[in-house]
Each structure stands twice: as C-alpha cells, then as structure tokens.
Amino acid sequence: MAHLLQRVAQSRDAQAFAELFENFAPRIKAYMIRQGADPTTAEELAQETLLMVWRKAGLYSDTKGSATTWIFTIARNLRIDRLRREVPWQTFPEGQEEQASDDIAPDEAVSERERRERVHAVLATLPEDQHEVVLLSYIEGLSHSEIADRLDLPLGTVKSRMRLAYQKLRESVEDLR
Amino acid sequence: MTNKIEHHPDDSTLMSYAAGSLSEPLCAVVAAHLELCKACVHEVHAMERIGAALFEDLQGSPINSGTQEACCKAIGQPESNAKIPDEPQDHSVLTRILGSKLADIHWKRLGFGIWHHPIKLSPNCNGDLRLIKVAPGQVMPEHGHGGSELTLILSGSYSDEFGKYNAGDLSDLGDDVEHRPVSDSLEGCVCLIASERKARFKDIVSRIVQPLTGL
Ligand SMILES: [Zn+2]
C-alpha cells in the first residue's frame, strides 16, 4: 500500500489512487458505521477521507511508515471532526517532528508486513475481556467512562484492561530503538 | 524546557487518545503534553498501529458504484489538485487551545491566591477545560472522585504524595486516588486542567472557595 501512496504523492498517479480507493473506501465506510454513522454519511466520509489522502499525500514521506496507519489516522481525525463535532487534537503519525527511526539501518527495521502479522497475532491471543475494551475504544469510539457504563464495570477496571492489553501488544507495535 | 519530564499520561489514556476516543478536554491536555514529550509521541505512534490493525480487520462495506467514479473525477479537478498547505504549525498546541498566548490570558480571581480561566469547548462537548493559577505555597484544588481528570503543569511546580510535578509533567491519577498538591513556595503554579464531567469541576471549585468564604 505504501508504494501506491508514494505514487500518489510523487506523480499524482490517478491509477494508484483508484487502487487505494478500492482497498480502503469499503473499510473506512465500515469503520464510520461502527463509529455510529448512518450508511450514507459513512460513505460520504469514506470518500472525503480518500480525497484528503489525495491532497495530503505529500505529507506522507516516511518510506518505513505504514500507509494503513496513516490513512487510519486521517479517518480517525475526520470522524472526531464530523461525527463527534469536536476538535481533533490528534496529529498524524510519523510526522516530521519524529525522527526516531531514522538511525535504524533498513535491514534492521521490521518490515511493515512482518509487523502487521505480529500485531494481528498478538491481538488474536488477547484474553476476551481485554480484546473487548480495546475494540470498543478503537472501533466503536467509546471513551473509558462510556465503556465502563456499557459493560457495567468500574472505570479503573476498564483502564487496567487497556493497560494489560497494551503490555502484550507493545513489543509488536513499537519501533526498534 | 530544560528539566526532564517525569510524569506522563497513563498508557490507557494515551491509547484512548490514539484511538480518537478521548473526550475533547482530556485530548487537548494530552496534545499539549505531547508537544513537550517525545517519549509519549513515540508511544502514541505505536498505539496508532493497534488501531490500524483493528481497522484492517474490518469487513468492508460495499461502496455504491457512482461514488468511486465521482471521487476519481474529483481528483482531476484543478482545485483538488492544489495541495493543502501544511497545517499551521506556527502556533503551539497550547496557543491554539487558549486562542491566545498564555501571557495574554485574562485571569479571574476564584479566591485567595487562586485564579482561573475557563476555556471554551465545542458546543456539544461535555467536560471542563481551564487554566488554574495558584500563588506560591498554596494548597491546590483537590481532585475528587469519578471520571477522568488530567493536569498539565505549564509553569512553576507543585508537590504531592507522588512527587514533584514540574513544567511539562502531567498528572493522570486514577479516580480513586486522593492527593493534596501544594504549589511551589517561590513560583507557585500554572496548570491546564481537564475534567471529563462538567459538574465535578464545580464541586472542586466550590471546595476551594468555601473555606475562604468562611463556609
Ligand atoms: Zn510524556
């Protein structure tokens, strides 16, 4: 996916964009529906996300960064702005301010594909109660308090389940330092 | 910032931020901390990859055939070919949150040695975000119970049972923790405080004001 995004950024390649659209638009629509949008709005937001990808592709420069993560953050910010009507203070990942991974030689860096496989593998092994809160937070867009209400749990329990899940996931998602 | 940041948001708070599910006032405080803290930026990027993996696992929803065509046509239009200029980064997160420079804030007196400045949130947003300024050697507003609260030290410092909090440090105590922060004896303290709930902050404010008005 990263090569498609780079073709969009560097040569404004409409064919690469069409491939990105086919790959991401249905999932962005599904994401927006899970976040509470009706199907029509969800499709509009999917379209809008992809148009923003087209316009902002130049900001995606990191050759090691994951295109999926970058597009996820655009969809996430758009959702905060449109569905929640709040200010998205979240920034994009792998921005120019972070150069942490620059000193890693290419052969040392975990390839995006390997990393993705590892994250999915760890996610699959999370205990059900931890997997549940992680999904409610990332995909349903619920705050910790909303999760606590939904599951009828103390806020502290929700937070500690999130923490435990992250301890297991951390190694698979962190950059090598 | 010369001193090292020692107090950071809880992992669960950073995860919620990365997921985009942290409410606006808490999110603003975390964003202001991230601007000062590379370690947490690094952590948030890792956490965004969890979101991307879950996003990737979603079963796609079919897109109407006309939508893609319209979208691909739209990128051929001259106005959408114009690249968006990079977001205005000339202002710090704090300046954007406040809508002005910290030095230009108009403080309102809350009681002896305590001033505040409420910050406007999006209209449909619950919660509370405000600046608090405390004179030197003063006991700070106590955090109560229920809901999440975050405090970012902007200048000066305070100390409590958990240590000393300097500029850039963020206090993210659980809702079951009680503490009695005391502001620095020379400089006092300026903080950005976010609360998930509206009423709760009023409780806190009334708790500081009450003893001073003779109960
Ligand atoms: Zn930090």
Side-chain angles (χ1 to χ4, degrees):
Chain A
M1 289 305 125
H3 66 284
L4 291 175
L5 200 44
Q6 266 155 5
R7 272 164 56 194
V8 169
Q10 282 155 19
S11 42
R12 310 309 276 152
D13 185 332
Q15 180 54 39
F17 178 76
E19 284 179 51
L20 281 177
F21 189 99
E22 277 161 35
N23 202 286
F24 285 102
R27 259 179 290 166
I28 297 168
K29 183 178 176 184
Y31 171 73
M32 294 299 178
I33 290 173
R34 292 288 288 275
Q35 299 277 349
D38 62 76
T40 309
T41 308
E43 187 153 327
E44 281 166 14
L45 290 175
Q47 186 178 8
E48 210 174 325
T49 304
L50 265 305
L51 286 175
M52 210 174 268
V53 167
W54 172 262
R55 288 194 299 256
K56 292 195 174 198
L59 299 175
Y60 172 82
S61 55
D62 199 306
T63 50
K64 293 180 284 288
S66 148
T68 307
T69 306
W70 195 74
I71 292 172
F72 163 74
T73 59
I74 291 182
R76 173 199 66 190
N77 290 5
L78 196 64
R79 172 221 147 223
I80 296 169
D81 183 65
R82 295 301 155 80
L83 295 182
R84 242 169 55 185
R85 300 190 185 281
E86 293 186 359
V87 180
W89 290 106
Q90 286 85 349
T91 49
F92 298 109
E94 322 286 332
Q96 46 279 62
E97 78 278 8
E98 205 200 27
Q99 305 291 331
S101 52
D102 275 11
D103 21 323
I104 303 166
D107 54 324
E108 277 178 66
V110 190
S111 82
E112 254 338 285
R113 181 189 297 273
E114 279 171 59
R115 164 142 62 201
R116 207 159 60 215
E117 282 164 8
R118 271 184 7 210
V119 182
H120 282 111
V122 181
L123 277 170
T125 61
L126 283 184
E128 182 46 39
D129 59 350
Q130 291 169 28
H131 193 266
E132 184 179 37
V133 295
V134 169
L135 210 63
L136 288 171
S137 176
Y138 280 95
I139 301 299
E140 310 278 331
L142 300 185
S143 71
H144 292 156
S145 298
E146 287 164 338
I147 297 172
D149 289 346
R150 167 92 61 105
L151 301 179
D152 198 19
L153 290 169
L155 182 59
T157 306
V158 173
K159 284 172 150 307
S160 71
R161 284 182 188 174
M162 294 283 284
R163 273 196 296 271
L164 288 170
Y166 185 56
Q167 279 163 22
K168 298 195 181 81
L169 285 159
R170 186 178 196 154
E171 211 182 316
S172 66
V173 288
E174 282 222 301
D175 285 319
L176 297 173
R177 278 198 256 201
Chain B
M1 193 89 15
T2 47
N3 55 319
K4 198 176 167 299
I5 294 176
E6 281 176 12
H7 301 274
H8 306 272
D10 189 84
D11 280 348
S12 64
T13 304
L14 288 179
M15 269 175 113
S16 189
Y17 176 89
S21 58
L22 200 60
S23 67
E24 186 177 286
L26 302 180
C27 195
V29 175
V30 172
H33 173 78
L34 289 178
E35 199 165 53
L36 308 167
C37 183
K38 278 229 154 62
C40 284
V41 169
H42 185 83
E43 216 71 53
V44 165
H45 288 169
M47 289 162 171
E48 282 168 339
R49 296 191 183 110
I50 300 172
L54 294 165
F55 166 70
E56 215 165 30
D57 282 344
L58 290 174
Q59 176 75 48
S61 256
I63 299 281
N64 295 321
S65 55
T67 304
Q68 179 171 357
E69 232 172 277
C71 201
C72 290
K73 201 174 273 176
I75 62 165
Q77 304 301 313
E79 73 270 27
S80 52
N81 275 327
K83 283 193 190 170
I84 287 184
D86 293 10
E87 259 124 76
Q89 295 298 332
D90 44 335
H91 294 303
S92 70
V93 170
L94 186 65
T95 303
R96 283 185 280 142
I97 291 169
L98 301 179
S100 70
K101 297 248 179 255
L102 183 56
D104 299 332
I105 288 299
H106 189 76
W107 294 95
K108 291 193 196 80
R109 195 168 176 273
L110 260 182
F112 181 77
I114 299 184
W115 297 263
H116 77 150
H117 174 78
I119 295 157
K120 207 164 180 267
L121 297 168
S122 299
N124 65 326
C125 166
N126 280 314
D128 194 286
L129 182 62
R130 67 184 67 211
L131 289 170
I132 291 271
K133 183 164 85 167
V134 184
Q138 185 102 345
V139 176
M140 309 260 299
E142 191 197 335
H143 291 216
H145 304 271
S148 301
E149 280 173 13
L150 299 176
T151 305
L152 176 69
I153 318 308
L154 300 176
S155 70
S157 69
Y158 74 68
S159 303
D160 69 7
E161 294 84 333
F162 302 95
K164 191 169 187 215
Y165 291 75
N166 294 301
D169 280 334
L170 187 146
S171 162
D172 182 3
L173 298 177
D175 60 333
D176 48 354
V177 177
E178 281 202 50
H179 68 145
R180 267 176 77 83
V182 177
S183 65
D184 183 83
S185 59
L186 293 174
E187 290 181 274
C189 188
V190 176
C191 311
L192 182 64
I193 303 186
S195 170
E196 212 179 6
R197 292 176 199 170
K198 249 184 195 107
R200 290 198 25 71
F201 202 92
K202 283 178 190 148
D203 294 347
I204 294 168
V205 170
S206 70
R207 239 179 288 159
I208 7 164
V209 176
Q210 260 177 13
L212 303 161
T213 51
L215 291 164

